Amino acid sequence: MSDIILKTEGLTKHYGGVQALEGANFEIRKGEHVAIMGDNGAGKSTFVRQITAVEQRTAGKVWFDGEEVDFKGPLEAREAGIETVFQNLALADALNVPDNLFLGREIFKFKLGPFSVLDYKAMREKTLASLEKTGVKIPNINNAISNMSGGQRQCVAIARTATFHSKLTIMDEPTAALGVQETAQVENIIRTLKEAGEPLILISHNMRQVFDLVDRIVVFRRGKIVANLRKEETSGEDVVSYITGAKTAPEYAENA
Amino acid sequence: MSASQHGLGGLKYDPKKRHRPPELNVFFALILIVGAFEVLGRLFVGDSFLFNTRDRVDTLFNEPRLKIIVLQVAIIGIIALGVTQVIISGGIDLSSGSIVGAVAMIATAFAQASVNQYGMDNLKPILGEAYLNLPLIVPIVVGLFAGLVAGVVNGALIAYAKIPPFIATLGMMLFARGVANWTTKGVPISYLQESYAEIGAGMNPVFIFIALAVLMHFLLRYTKYGKHTYAIGSNEQAARMSGIEVERLKVLIYAIAGILSAVAAIVMSSKALTGQSGMGLMYELDAIAMAVIGGVSLAGGRGSILGTCIGALIYGVIISGFTFLKLDAFYQEMAKGAIIVGAVVLDQWRARKQAAKS
């Protein structure tokens, strides 16, 4: 399983009596872009929260980069190389672009505990390099995040993944709140990631976007995976019938 | 639109483009206010606020007045430096004035001499004969340590007991004032050693203030400590997810604020040649006002030491200006109140404008 970057087996999450996620078997290969689709409350976000260790799973196993892992928190997952772009962006509004990219991972001129001196120049140069790499264009990186449009903010959040050479990027509805042009900009960045061979899990409700961007579509329904479809072998109609429950793939029949 | 054509919407790099620093607006306000007093002075009092008008003195500016202004703001300004970083982190510190009172009493109790400058014997040493004529380092270290302890308690209550900063520091404000009154049951402490009196002599408070302002500016601007302070004030959740140890940082922020209050207490009691339990009364509000006037946002995440320094000058100019115009002290207090509220209104307005833009 050398080229499998992430694999889950029987991943399960219960909130009290509610079974939000039930026995999810999922895998993604290096360089692959996979979409997760499903209705609201189907367990998509719950699934992501277990992988990124924002929550602790009830049962199941997770392998990442060839090793079985049990992250204690989101930081550990991030340090291992799973970078998540959340729907509600985790950015500090009053800080500028390099500050946000390097928040918690600053580069220092010299270390002195909490009073370590920052190396602004190095951080600025690395920021420009990674923005270039992802194709993100921002008028002025010295600008505070609060002065930027929703699309630009989303781009900054995504640019983090490129800066720190993450092994797997997860995006939770990255374009849900964006306009047409901004959505196009984010989609272009996703294509850049694809060209660079970086694997991605994309949660989206946008059928057109999913068919444009990914290789494979995994459908969740009522906490279970009900379909695993190659893009070329399926259609929008097909996916909708899996989402609504009109259809269930034969190999997942026991999940229906 | 083809896949290779990135970055739609006409956006491009321009790293050279910079925003006008908000401190500039505060600085213009300072000039405007000085100008207003200059004009009002010439109209109503027949004197210049800024310039020298006495025949026999050969200076351009009215140096005594300017000296008094900076001296007045220097001591509260030291407190305001600590309050600034607390507010930037999204908190508030109401205890700074009371910490000044408590530390002034504690430090001066260790700074007593056996004989005062008139050769009179100290008949009632506060801590007993054994604690007279101690080296200068003792009252300074004891005083700073007391401030540190108060700050750490503030920080721990806020970070670990999850008490809102307003309540935690309100409690400390009452407690520290109680400590100040309890040390000598309200009796002022005098017979201070000459070495202790030197600390705040002449223009020393101003030099101490400037040195500390430069240090705090450096800490907030160029270190991890400062960057993370802005980050937790701007979006605590994001800061936490980025791996910042929010709790430990908060304790450190309030600890530094406590130490700065202690410095102010030592300078103040040294300048006054006495320790009094009422010292620093309401200084917390003056310090907060200086910060807010200087552009520090009460919502957190925004502001700077430079802004607070200009805010402190504005505060000093207004107080001095009212005296210069021979207005009653009551008007001064009313004006102070109006300025604080006005600065917050301005801050809210700025925040709304920001929100509307994005």
Side-chain angles (χ1 to χ4, degrees), chain A residues 75 86 91-94 99 104 106 108 114 116 118 120 131-132 138-140 143 146-147 152-153 188 192, chain B residues 3 5-6 11-15 17 19 221-225 227-228 234-235 241-243 301-302 354 358:
Chain A
L75 271 179
F86 289 101
L91 297 173
D93 266 5
D99 288 351
E106 291 85 355
F108 299 115
S116 302
L118 301 168
Y120 277 114
L131 290 181
E132 208 116 36
I138 285 163
N140 180 6
N143 226 335
S146 58
N147 294 331
Q152 289 171 339
R153 290 178 200 211
N188 275 329
T192 317
Chain B
Q5 184 193 343
H6 298 306
L11 306 171
K12 54 178 193 285
Y13 292 134
D14 190 1
K17 205 159 69 183
H19 265 244
R221 194 70 179 272
Y222 296 104
T223 72
K224 178 175 151 188
Y225 169 78
K227 192 57 66 195
H228 289 184
S234 174
N235 186 344
M241 282 169 65
S242 303
R302 283 191 177 76
Q354 287 277 353
S358 56

